[in-house]
Amino acid sequence: MRAIVPHLELCTGCRMCEMACSLHHEGLVNREWGRIRIHRKGIEHYVPVACNQGASCDKECVKVCPVDCIRDVNGHAIEVVREECIGCGECVEACPYNAIHMRGDVAFKCNLCDGDPTCVKFCSLKAITFEEGVPEEFDRAKDAAEAMR
């Protein structure tokens, strides 16, 4: 499955991806509502974090969801079915990449914009790409995400 692949050495922390995501999904620019997040690591290092759709994890979020509301809905991505989410937060805790968030009582995560991620289009430095996952890139992002928890 194709996924958003972070290239940590290229990210400058401009946050265009977060804003593009928020605008695409929510109709407003609010980086806290983006499904992709840029985490700052140290003074000059930034880490783009988005769900890799199970490319390098065991889909822990799917396994722990007590109501099975995290699943492949459209054949493009594993996503949270908002109407079915009970807001328990188990998926947030289970995600090894820190790529699932809560807004109110509902979890949300990247759904790859129906197979054409908007965030990738707005990353002029190619710090995120949409391709078959490269395990080393995901592992580096996972290590960085864990360090920020």
Side-chain angles (χ1 to χ4, degrees), residues 86-108:
I86 60 172
C88 67
E90 293 291 324
C91 56
V92 175
E93 293 299 319
C95 179
Y97 291 90
N98 196 18
I100 303 177
H101 311 282
M102 297 294 295
R103 183 170 345 123
D105 292 335
V106 178
F108 67 102

Side-chain angles (χ1 to χ4, degrees), residues 14-35:
C14 73
R15 302 186 185 276
M16 284 298 293
C17 56
E18 292 174 329
M19 293 184 278
C21 178
S22 170
L23 185 60
H24 176 81
H25 289 285
E26 307 297 337
L28 56 89
V29 177
N30 182 336
R31 66 181 192 84
E32 293 297 319
W33 290 10
R35 278 108 176 115

